[in-house]
Amino acid sequence: MREYGLYIAGEWVGAASGSTFQSFNPYRQQPWATLREASEAEVDAAVRAAQDAYATTWRPMNGAARAEILNRIAALIVENADELARLESTDNGKVIRETRSQMLFVARLFRFYAGYADKIFGSVIPLDQPAIFDFTTREPYGVIGIITAWNSPLSLLANKLPAALAAGNCAVVKPSEHASVTTLEFCKLLEKAGLPAGVVNVVTGGPKVGDAMVKHPGVAKVSFTGSPGVGRIIAATAGQHLKPVTLELGGKSPNIIFEDADLDQATVGALAGIFAATGQTCIAGSRLLVHKRVHDEIVGRLAERAKAIRMGDPLDPATEMGTAANEPQFDRIMAAIDSAKTDGATLVTGGARATGAGLDEGLFIQPTIFSGVTNDMKVAQNEIFGPVLGVIAFETEEEAVAIANGTQYGLASGVWTTDLSRAMRMIPKLNSGVVWVNTYRMVTAQAPFGGVKQSGFGRERGEQGLLEFTTVKNVMIDFSGEKRDPFAVKN
Ligand code: NAD
């Protein structure tokens, strides 16, 4: 058993001195780490440490010096990528071939935002008035409260933290209670990189800890990744405190295959959309819209490949699909499969717990495909966050657009076609924050990412992701030397 405390003001607060909880390895179905449940007083201490660091070290530091530290963090992540990947795969059952590349991407994001740290500009604005000089600056907020989900703890953190730090903010981070280990291990690298104490603090625990962060008057902005249900609670609480929030929430993303698509590419895109990461990804292409003319061909190809997906030890590089990340999630996925059967969808393949050599202990679920799905079924409307695909047949572009937009979500959409005009027609009609054409699940440092509707608001990654952690200050300097009428506004 590993043991972790809280990381506050550059010090480890021992796990044993307060109440604790356990993190489970979903492959072995055994507890493997003991963690500390932070109290309200400890959340307060973490916020105060961040406020102090903001005032005394991080904000006063120039951008180039901040960049140097962020680059050192990136180098240490690369050096420790194998170990971090191993720990994350142990904590949440995601296959090592994905967590390994995720760690390199985490480092990439630190480097990407390090590049911005000394290039955050305002602008000079010409006014109607002569003799007034107007300019803007981009200021950090202060302390950012970061709350993340369990499916990719360090990647989700890296979508937020390096941008926040580059802009001069400090942070209090709360990872999911289901997978906190790598976020805590990461703090050891921050220390090694020379990040001043208190710039990043980590408090662990469940909803109460997150709630205390959102309510804390010292937290100036909240950046959240998680479910729409919790997103709504956080937005409401933040609203009470008039605090800005960024919400990265769930999805029910349509992956649309037209009859003129390259079917080899589209099949790979559909598989990546739903079975990569065991479907436990916000951008899962969980609704596959297929033109009637190629429907049977696509469903046949997908079923064949789905049956051959290699499940097993997440730490084995040959494994293609890992476990459900935790027991409540396993139960939710199985319940969603049952409800699709009850609603009359046609089970093509899967539909049960996966058993057999190397699988019996872990929370494995067969890659599952339903055809004959209509957009009003629960399998088409509710985010499952698991390896469950609903295939919906369509005939016209208009029908595809109506089905694609016909959920409460709007995170991503995929379009597969060799007709450029069709792709260009589809892009403005799809109501989602991301549109992929002839690719799916493509994640880059430069491109902004985020949703519309119940998938949230605000953007991460790219320049937009940086600007989310800054606020604009406008400055006017009157150099006319005139005395003005105190009772008339000057414009
Ligand atoms: P969740 O909403 O249950 O929990 C997320 C985090 O919020 C956890 O750290 C949890 O402890 C905390 N939390 C719970 N209640 C809280 C409260 N009242 N106040 C403050 N914090 C609270 O989500 P999950 O089950 O961990 O993750 C799955 C969800 O995350 C899915 O809906 C998925 O789509 C979404 N997700 C979105 C993205 C994205 O970038 N859009 C990425 C990954 C996951």
Side-chain angles (χ1 to χ4, degrees):
M1 284 289 279
R2 287 168 169 261
E3 199 175 280
Y4 294 92
L6 312 174
Y7 186 65
I8 300 175
E11 304 282 337
W12 290 94
V13 181
S17 52
S19 64
T20 57
F21 63 100
Q22 291 183 326
S23 199
F24 274 76
N25 170 340
Y27 175 58
R28 304 266 173 225
Q29 283 212 75
Q30 281 168 354
W32 78 295
T34 302
L35 299 121
R36 167 102 172 217
E37 174 86 27
S39 66
E40 214 167 295
E42 286 160 338
V43 171
D44 181 57
V47 175
R48 283 173 192 278
Q51 284 180 304
D52 191 43
Y54 179 72
T56 59
T57 59
W58 197 243
R59 174 131 205 240
M61 192 182 285
N62 71 43
R66 283 203 294 265
E68 232 173 85
I69 296 177
L70 294 179
N71 276 320
R72 282 209 294 273
I73 295 171
L76 283 163
I77 293 166
V78 173
E79 240 175 70
N80 291 275
D82 287 340
E83 176 66 357
L84 288 170
R86 200 178 63 75
L87 293 173
E88 196 145 298
S89 289
T90 305
D91 218 9
N92 70 2
K94 184 176 264 200
V95 291
I96 193 108
R97 62 162 81 177
E98 169 135 333
T99 50
R100 177 79 171 81
S101 56
Q102 280 188 319
M103 293 314 148
L104 300 180
F105 187 61
V106 168
R108 171 76 181 101
L109 285 169
F110 271 86
R111 290 214 169 96
F112 179 75
Y113 286 110
Y116 272 113
D118 60 352
K119 301 171 197 70
I120 300 175
F121 306 128
S123 43
V124 172
I125 302 179
L127 304 182
D128 293 345
Q129 293 77 1
I132 307 264
F133 183 68
D134 189 283
F135 67 96
T136 61
T137 56
R138 288 240 166 219
E139 310 266 326
Y141 277 95
V143 178
I144 308 294
I146 294 179
I147 301 175
T148 54
W150 44 257
N151 59 323
S152 297
L154 278 189
S155 297
L156 300 182
L157 180 62
N159 285 340
K160 306 171 188 296
L161 186 64
L165 295 181
N169 301 280
C170 293
V172 176
V173 179
K174 193 201 87 62
S176 164
E177 59 274 35
H178 294 294
S180 301
V181 167
T182 46
T183 304
L184 291 159
E185 283 291 335
F186 171 71
C187 293
K188 297 178 184 167
L189 304 185
L190 298 180
E191 274 176 358
K192 267 197 198 161
L195 188 77
V199 174
V200 175
N201 307 272
V202 176
V203 287
T204 46
K208 270 191 179 166
V209 180
D211 186 54
M213 282 168 62
V214 179
K215 285 182 176 148
H216 198 294
V219 170
K221 176 168 182 171
V222 175
S223 182
F224 171 75
T225 299
S227 61
V230 173
R232 260 176 233 120
I233 296 172
I234 287 180
T237 309
Q240 288 295 317
H241 296 260
L242 293 180
K243 200 173 277 191
V245 278
T246 293
L247 299 177
E248 288 292 346
L249 309 177
K252 194 71 200 174
S253 299
N255 205 356
I256 309 166
I257 303 179
F258 283 100
E259 69 279 22
D260 58 29
D262 176 322
L263 297 192
D264 291 336
Q265 280 182 11
T267 304
V268 171
L271 284 164
I274 192 62
F275 298 128
T278 318
Q280 295 170 123
T281 160
C282 54
I283 47 181
S286 51
R287 288 184 301 149
L288 189 69
L289 280 52
V290 189
H291 191 273
K292 281 196 171 137
R293 210 179 302 154
V294 292
H295 174 275
D296 292 354
E297 168 79 19
I298 287 287
V299 171
R301 288 184 187 209
L302 286 175
E304 195 182 323
R305 183 64 184 89
K307 282 180 199 149
I309 287 176
R310 192 195 286 234
M311 285 183 279
D313 185 348
L315 297 182
D316 179 347
T319 302
E320 293 173 329
M321 218 176 89
T323 62
N326 51 67
E327 212 166 349
Q329 186 56 20
F330 176 85
D331 293 343
R332 275 195 291 269
I333 298 169
M334 294 310 295
I337 289 174
D338 288 344
S339 113
K341 290 176 183 167
T342 313
D343 284 355
T346 309
L347 182 63
V348 177
T349 185
R353 182 175 193 145
T355 51
L359 303 180
D360 289 342
E361 259 182 75
L363 299 171
F364 288 98
I365 296 173
Q366 295 172 344
T368 297
I369 300 175
F370 286 101
S371 66
V373 171
T374 53
N375 210 35
D376 56 347
M377 289 181 184
K378 288 201 274 302
V379 68
Q381 290 294 320
N382 298 342
E383 184 185 42
I384 298 172
F385 219 59
V388 182
L389 181 67
V391 184
I392 306 175
F394 72 87
E395 248 177 313
T396 65
E397 258 176 54
E398 292 68 32
E399 205 184 342
V401 168
I403 298 168
N405 291 337
T407 73
Q408 59 176 331
Y409 294 108
L411 192 53
S413 310
V415 177
W416 298 88
T417 177
T418 50
D419 178 345
L420 181 62
S421 305
R422 167 174 275 163
M424 295 305 283
R425 278 196 302 276
M426 291 294 288
I427 292 165
K429 291 179 187 162
L430 291 168
N431 197 7
S432 58
V434 175
V435 178
W436 283 300
V437 178
N438 294 333
T439 186
Y440 201 87
R441 213 165 174 257
M442 173 78 74
V443 171
T444 73
Q446 295 94 337
F449 172 81
V452 297
K453 302 200 288 186
Q454 299 295 300
S455 293
F457 43 78
R459 292 292 177 267
E460 296 190 328
R461 304 200 289 267
E463 188 179 26
Q464 195 63 35
L466 174 84
L467 299 183
E468 295 277 343
F469 292 108
T470 69
T471 171
V472 175
K473 178 179 281 177
N474 189 76
V475 182
M476 285 184 192
I477 303 173
D478 185 337
F479 59 93
S480 67
E482 282 171 12
K483 278 205 189 76
R484 44 184 213 93
D485 176 357
F487 305 106
V489 71
K490 194 170 167 77
N491 53 25

